[in-house]
């Protein structure tokens, strides 16, 4: 269990804060409970492994009863995996630190500091002990299925790094501040008595738990972790706490008759990120634009698949009927079976046993294909790839612009969530000195002067940002084609107008969409190189002129040279 900065409790004040927080948590879970049937219904058809919101399963129970098609599950799986690969591509620097306002990034020292900070952040989140990839990958599936996912990212137990965890939506209830930002989290945690004793001390556990500890140390019980903004008025003058902490975490026993608050911890920043996709006015919990619209058709597809299987079975093994009085004894309708027919039966009347031609799977198969196509659109399968094929620069530009408009609802919320997550991790890593010693005034030692007082945030690479960069490439190609057309006119006025285009700015913007940033020279290095080239060219031209004059002088008539020198002397 990961937690921050636990302090020795003062029992009376701690219990009062704990019980007050638990009452608020009970109210939050009561408000959350109205969503559980919806999440259960979505999970049963799209994510059966998570279908334990209103039902209880054992660890090894099969959760696929009543499912006749895997199509909804495949759509959820592919959508979640694709999103993860697109917004967090491994092997690419998909996020980078940047300073605001933008003009600060023109300073070389600021650029270098931000580049180093980006490398440090990548080392933090991709440390194997951080479990970042596992937690974010699991959250992608919650995000696609339910429209929201909860990620915890406190320090680990040793305070040596960040630990990422994807929490079950069933176990989390949260509330928002006046700006609509989630700043209070109530989490139900199942822990063993041994785990709780190691975290808080055996003496802090309720008496009935202590009595069971010796014989049943692995027995699990429920705690509620209440993380909420620090209220200064709730702490007495003799109570220890971390003055710089902005959030407190109270650990309260749930399934016991005794009111017990086991401990309290403090966070410098909110240790949760709630990923939210589509909001509905008046609801605190986001919805999924995929499963919300696909739920009805997915149920219909499941029923259709059941009917299709029944129809195929009818065709493969149709029901039989026989002529009255034609059969003697039981019918053995199996391979190699023998059925006795009355010897007086008139075979001219037809076979004594016939199959009933009922069921037509073809109609169900056609309907199934239509449903699958509709479900694919519900899961944005038509938007997950940029347009391909041979196209003119104008067509490419128009197609990418259309893609950007249509894909914005998918990726824009994710960019904001990525920013919230990384900003929180940055604050927590900074407090531990990951980017330099934090001085008493809160400033990082060695921070460039241009960054002092600036807002450090994070930018992200997503398919949407990639599309916008590719659109700049297409626009540059259009400009280049137009310039070539002007040159082809051989009209001097048209050619002279070309200098209205800032080719340096246009080319740099275009290259940012098609090449790594370190392939481009810095503007100051480019200008210095151009200056050096111009000076070298001028020097070469001067030397060439001097050589030409020398040759002319060597071939000149001496008398003419004397007369020229005399004239120049008189003029002087």
């Amino acid at each position: 269990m990961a937690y921050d900065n636990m302090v020795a409790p003062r029992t009376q004040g701690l219990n009062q804060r704990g019980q007050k927080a638990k009452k608020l948590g009970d109210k939050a879970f009561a408000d959350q409970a109205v969503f559980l049937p919806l999440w259960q219904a979505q999970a049963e058809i799209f994510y059966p492994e998570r279908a334990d919101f209103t039902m209880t399963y054992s660890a090894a129970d099969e959760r696929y009863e009543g499912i006749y098609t895997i199509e909804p599950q495949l759509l959820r799986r592919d959508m979640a995996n694709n999103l993860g690969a697109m917004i967090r591509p491994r092997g690419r620097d998909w996020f980078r630190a940047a300073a605001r306002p933008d003009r600060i990034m023109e300073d070389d020292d600021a650029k270098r500091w931000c580049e180093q900070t980006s490398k440090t952040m990548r080392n933090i989140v991709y440390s194997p002990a951080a479990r970042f990839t596992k937690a974010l990958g699991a959250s992608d599936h919650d995000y696609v299925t339910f429209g929201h996912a909860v990620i915890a990212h406190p320090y680990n137990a040793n305070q040596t790094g960040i630990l990422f965890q994807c929490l079950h939506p069933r176990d989390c209830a949260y509330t928002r501040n006046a700006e609509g930002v989630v700043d209070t989290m109530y989490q139900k945690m199942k822990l063993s008595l041994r785990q709780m004793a190691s975290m808080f001390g055996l003496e802090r556990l309720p008496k009935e738990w202590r009595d069971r500890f010796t014989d049943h140390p692995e027995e699990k019980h429920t705690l509620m972790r209440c993380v909420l903004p620090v209220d200064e008025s709730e702490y007495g003058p003799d109570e220890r706490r971390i003055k710089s902490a902005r959030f407190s975490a109270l650990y309260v026993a749930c399934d016991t008759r005794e009111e017990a608050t086991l401990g309290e911890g403090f966070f410098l920043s909110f240790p949760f990120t709630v990923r939210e996709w589509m909001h509905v006015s008046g609801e605190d919990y986001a919805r999924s634009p995929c499963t919300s619209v696909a739920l009805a058709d997915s149920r219909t597809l499941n029923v259709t698949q059941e009917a299709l299987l029944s129809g195929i079975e009818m065709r493969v093994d149709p029901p039989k009927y026989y002529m009255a009085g034609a059969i003697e004894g039981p019918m053995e309708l199996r391979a190699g079976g023998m059925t006795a027919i009355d010897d007086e039966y008139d075979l001219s009347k037809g076979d004594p046993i016939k199959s009933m031609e009922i069921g037509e799977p073809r109609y169900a198969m056609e309907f199934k294909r239509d449903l699958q196509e509709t479900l694919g659109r519900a899961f944005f399968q038509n938007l997950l790839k940029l347009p391909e094929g041979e196209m003119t620069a104008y067509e490419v530009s128009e197609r990418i612009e259309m893609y950007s408009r249509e894909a914005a609802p998918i990726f824009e919320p994710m960019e904001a969530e990525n920013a919230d997550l990384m900003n929180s991790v940055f604050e927590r890593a900074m407090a531990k000195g990951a980017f330099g010693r934090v001085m008493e005034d809160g400033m990082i030692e060695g921070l460039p002067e241009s960054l002092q007082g600036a807002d450090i945030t994070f930018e992200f690479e997503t398919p949407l940002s990639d599309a916008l960069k590719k659109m700049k490439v297409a626009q540059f190609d259009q400009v280049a084609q137009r310039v070539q057309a002007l040159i082809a006119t051989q009209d001097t006025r048209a050619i002279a107008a070309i200098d209205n285009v800032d080719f340096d700015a246009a080319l740099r913007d275009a290259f940012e969409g098609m090449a790594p940033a370190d392939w481009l020279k810095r503007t100051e290095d480019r200008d210095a190189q151009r200056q050096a080239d111009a000076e070298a060219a001028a020097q070469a031209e001067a030397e060439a002129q001097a050589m030409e004059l020398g040759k002319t002088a060597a071939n000149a008539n001496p008398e003419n040279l004397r007369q020229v020198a005399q004239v120049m002397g008189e003029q002087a």
Side-chain angles (χ1 to χ4, degrees):
M1 175 56 218
Y3 53 93
D4 287 15
N5 301 318
M6 297 293 291
V7 299
R10 299 279 183 172
T11 304
Q12 184 176 359
L14 174 65
N15 281 338
Q16 289 177 351
R17 291 192 297 275
Q19 295 309 311
K20 177 181 177 182
K22 184 176 181 299
K23 290 180 180 178
L24 294 174
D26 290 339
K27 173 62 168 60
F29 275 106
D31 294 339
Q32 178 239 44
V34 300
F35 291 90
L36 296 182
L38 171 63
W39 298 341
Q40 177 70 24
Q42 291 171 324
E44 285 177 352
I45 194 72
F46 295 105
Y47 197 1
E49 298 83 358
R50 270 285 205 230
D52 51 3
F53 290 90
T54 60
M55 299 181 65
T56 302
Y57 291 96
S58 298
D61 281 352
E62 189 225 330
R63 304 189 183 190
Y64 307 97
E65 185 178 357
I67 295 177
Y68 294 93
T69 175
I70 64 171
E71 187 70 19
Q73 297 169 55
L74 292 179
L75 288 169
R76 181 266 308 166
R77 186 193 68 183
D78 293 345
M79 180 68 175
N81 291 341
N82 286 333
L83 284 183
M86 287 189 289
I87 65 177
R88 298 183 307 275
R90 193 66 189 265
R92 287 182 56 187
D93 296 339
W94 55 272
F95 68 87
R96 59 179 177 269
R100 295 289 181 271
D102 292 339
R103 55 179 172 77
I104 295 176
M105 293 302 291
E106 298 175 3
D107 179 71
D108 287 342
D109 291 336
K111 286 181 181 178
R112 283 191 287 269
W113 190 89
C114 288
E115 287 175 0
Q116 185 58 45
T117 296
S118 300
K119 293 179 181 178
T120 302
M121 284 287 290
R122 279 189 282 275
N123 291 336
I124 291 172
V125 299
Y126 281 114
S127 166
R131 303 178 188 174
F132 175 82
T133 301
K134 178 181 178 181
L136 270 291
S139 76
D140 290 333
H141 293 270
D142 286 344
Y143 187 79
V144 170
T145 307
F146 312 114
H148 67 280
V150 181
I151 302 168
H153 42 81
Y155 295 129
N156 58 32
N158 296 324
Q159 304 278 307
T160 57
I162 305 295
L163 177 63
F164 294 88
Q165 297 170 301
C166 176
L167 306 182
H168 198 307
R170 173 202 60 206
D171 298 330
C172 299
Y174 43 84
T175 59
R176 306 170 188 270
N177 61 21
E179 297 179 351
V181 177
V182 175
D183 67 347
T184 302
M185 179 68 67
Y186 303 98
Q187 177 193 358
K188 289 183 178 179
M189 308 163 61
K190 280 278 190 181
L191 298 176
S192 69
L193 295 176
R194 181 172 63 86
Q195 290 172 322
M196 289 188 280
S198 68
M199 288 174 60
F200 309 106
L202 182 60
E203 70 283 357
R204 295 295 307 162
L205 304 187
K207 183 179 183 306
E208 59 184 282
W209 291 2
R210 294 198 304 270
D211 293 343
R212 299 187 59 81
F213 177 78
T214 302
D215 296 330
H216 308 280
E218 299 302 328
E219 185 176 87
K220 291 190 175 182
H221 292 271
T222 303
L223 282 181
M224 184 185 294
R225 176 163 70 167
C226 311
V227 180
L228 60 168
V230 170
D231 185 349
E232 300 280 354
S233 65
E234 294 187 350
Y235 293 86
D238 60 339
E239 288 189 287
R240 288 180 54 199
R241 69 176 187 83
I242 299 174
K243 297 297 183 182
S244 59
R246 294 163 50 204
F247 297 89
S248 66
L250 293 154
Y251 297 82
V252 188
C254 290
D255 54 353
T256 175
R257 293 185 297 273
E258 180 182 345
E259 292 184 351
T261 302
L262 308 190
E264 184 174 26
F266 293 92
F267 295 95
L268 302 178
S269 60
F270 195 55
F272 300 94
T273 295
V274 180
R275 300 178 61 189
E276 299 180 291
W277 200 346
M278 182 181 76
H279 277 280
V280 176
S281 179
E283 294 185 355
D284 282 331
Y285 295 86
R287 293 176 179 251
S288 167
C290 298
T291 59
S292 294
V293 299
L295 183 58
D297 276 356
S298 295
R299 285 171 167 164
T300 302
L301 179 61
N302 195 56
V303 173
T304 301
Q305 182 70 12
E306 182 182 12
L308 178 59
L309 293 173
S310 178
I312 292 174
E313 182 182 18
M314 290 285 191
R315 282 290 185 174
V316 174
D317 186 14
K320 311 294 192 298
Y321 68 93
Y322 61 91
M323 301 296 182
I327 306 300
E328 291 185 348
M331 291 189 298
E332 295 186 17
L333 301 179
R334 58 179 177 80
M338 299 289 291
T339 300
I341 300 175
D342 191 320
D343 56 4
E344 295 183 358
Y345 176 73
D346 185 2
L347 291 176
S348 64
K349 296 180 180 179
D351 295 335
I353 303 174
K354 293 186 178 181
S355 297
M356 300 180 65
E357 296 184 4
I358 61 175
E360 182 49 76
R362 177 168 53 88
Y363 299 117
M365 294 176 70
E366 293 175 356
F367 184 52
K368 177 184 174 181
R369 283 193 292 269
D370 292 341
L371 285 173
Q372 288 174 324
E373 182 179 348
T374 302
L375 289 173
R377 293 200 302 272
F379 279 81
F380 301 109
Q381 286 189 340
N382 56 320
L383 296 180
L384 292 182
K385 292 183 179 180
L386 281 170
E388 299 176 351
E390 293 295 329
M391 291 177 284
T392 66
Y394 175 77
E395 290 172 334
V396 170
S397 176
E398 290 298 305
R399 294 283 294 276
I400 291 178
E401 185 176 355
M402 182 184 302
Y403 172 85
S404 302
R405 288 196 303 268
E406 293 176 344
I410 303 177
F411 298 109
E412 283 183 345
M414 299 176 193
E415 291 183 10
E417 291 155 1
N418 279 339
D420 290 341
L421 176 62
M422 290 302 167
N423 287 339
S424 181
V425 172
F426 174 77
E427 289 181 11
R428 303 168 67 71
M430 181 181 67
K432 289 294 184 181
F435 311 106
R437 185 175 67 88
V438 180
M439 298 181 290
E440 293 183 359
D441 60 357
M443 199 70 68
I444 300 174
E445 186 177 24
L447 188 71
E449 184 178 353
S450 59
L451 289 175
Q452 295 179 11
D455 180 23
I456 306 298
T457 186
F458 289 86
E459 298 175 343
F460 301 90
E461 296 292 333
T462 67
L464 184 59
S465 60
D466 285 345
L468 294 175
K469 289 179 179 179
K470 287 181 172 63
M471 186 164 64
K472 288 184 179 180
V473 175
Q475 290 171 337
F476 179 80
D477 290 342
Q478 287 181 266
V479 171
Q481 291 176 5
R482 180 62 61 184
V483 168
Q484 291 175 352
L486 290 174
I487 295 174
T489 63
Q490 298 185 352
D491 186 325
T492 56
R493 290 176 299 178
I495 295 174
I498 294 175
D499 64 3
N500 283 286
V501 180
D502 186 345
F503 281 98
D504 280 334
L507 188 63
R508 292 185 74 85
D509 279 353
F511 264 67
E512 286 180 359
M514 56 191 296
D518 54 4
W519 287 15
L520 286 174
K521 294 180 179 179
R522 297 189 302 175
T523 54
E524 52 268 31
D525 293 341
R526 177 204 64 197
D527 293 342
Q529 183 64 49
R530 286 178 176 176
Q531 179 66 25
D533 291 344
E535 292 175 356
Q539 179 67 24
E541 184 177 358
E543 291 175 355
Q545 290 177 350
M547 291 180 64
E548 187 65 28
L549 288 174
K551 290 179 181 179
T552 303
N555 296 327
N557 187 308
E559 181 61 26
N560 291 340
L561 291 176
R562 184 185 63 77
Q563 293 178 0
V564 170
Q566 181 179 357
V567 171
M568 292 178 67
E570 292 175 354
Q571 291 177 348

